[in-house]
Every structure is written in structure tokens, then in C-alpha cells.
Amino acid sequence: MDIDEVLVFDTGPLSHIAKQGWLGVLKAVVGARTAVIPDVVVDELRVGATHDGRIRAVLDAPWIQHRELRTEREIVEFARFAEFLVRGYRNRGEAAVLALAVTLGGVAVVDDGAARRAAENSGIRLRPTLALLCEAIRIGLLTVPLVAALADDLLASNYRLPFGPGDFEKWAVGVGELA
């Protein structure tokens, strides 16, 4: 892991992880890297916190920087990604994450399929949540049973993952994330 790396997080992973009580694990995974959420994601999290107070922990976490899209380049990049990602209020956070990842030279942490394709098509470094957690297992920061429990809790919160309950390790080995 590169300690100078900037991880730009989307709403989904943060809100679901917070709702399931695993935000401390995510903090450990971030480590010395910088965790950033764009202002659009902050707004989405504020709305979510009105429905589920556990999400407030993300907004109050001192290790997560809130970053307004403010430069001309950030706004242009947001508009570019919004053009093919945003429908109504959907995917605004993803477009903002990709815009900051481009302009900051960071890594987009998004799980949405359309946002992942946009990142890949634009040459943006991407690390979906599961890849970030598997990386933490490989370096000895987390264990397979811990991440399996986290994954099962995410599934219980209706978070979409590419496997069912109890199948994290099988999936991770099958896709080459774990040996």
C-alpha cells in the first residue's frame, strides 16, 4: 500500500459499512492513506443520516476529509462523468468520486457497475470495496473470517456483493484475490 495514496470514497460503501458497525475496520484499512469524500457524497450521507443515525459516524469521522469540488477542472470532470452516469439524483456521488480521483490522482472506491466501467474506460485507478478488504487480508491487516463476517453483514443490509452469505472466501479465492 502506498501511504501517499488518496482514496476517494463513494456513499454506498461508507453508509453500509457504518450501518453495520464496521467503520473502525475501514479506518484500519485506510491506514496512513488519505480518505476523501466529495461534497456531493457528504450531502448524500447527510440525507442518509436523517433516516439512519449510524451513518452520522462517517460524517463525524476525523480521518475522512470532506472535499468540495471547486476548481474548474474538478467541475469539468464532474460534468463529464455526470453526463453518462447521473440520472435524476442517482449516481451523482459516483460522478463526483471519479472527478476527484482524476484531479487528485487518487483511487476511486466505488462499487456501482456503471461507475466502475466509467473509471476503467477513463484510466482511473479503481479499488472496489472488496478489493480493498482483500488487499488488507494479503498484507496481514485483516483476517479472512473478519472480512467474511463484514461481508455477511453487508449482505444483510441489502448491499450487493457478487456472492451469497458465507461465500466470501470461496469467491475471493475463485477470482484470485486470495491464494
Side-chain angles (χ1 to χ4, degrees), residues 10 14 27 35 64 67 79 86 90 96 99 103 134 136 147 151 155 159:
D10 186 31
L14 291 174
K27 179 183 180 194
I64 301 175
R67 179 78 157 63
V86 175
R90 292 183 51 99
T103 57
C134 288
V147 174
L155 287 165
Y159 201 70

Side-chain angles (χ1 to χ4, degrees), residues 129-148:
T129 306
L130 286 174
L132 197 62
L133 294 169
C134 288
E135 174 186 301
I137 292 170
R138 286 191 302 275
I139 65 169
L141 185 61
L142 301 178
T143 65
V144 171
L146 181 91
V147 174

Side-chain angles (χ1 to χ4, degrees), residues 97-150:
V97 166
L98 297 179
L100 277 186
V102 165
T103 57
L104 297 175
V107 177
V109 181
V110 292
D111 293 334
D112 176 79
R116 287 170 58 170
R117 285 188 297 282
E120 291 165 357
N121 292 338
S122 299
I124 296 171
R125 290 187 302 153
L126 171 68
R127 197 162 295 128
T129 306
L130 286 174
L132 197 62
L133 294 169
C134 288
E135 174 186 301
I137 292 170
R138 286 191 302 275
I139 65 169
L141 185 61
L142 301 178
T143 65
V144 171
L146 181 91
V147 174
L150 188 155

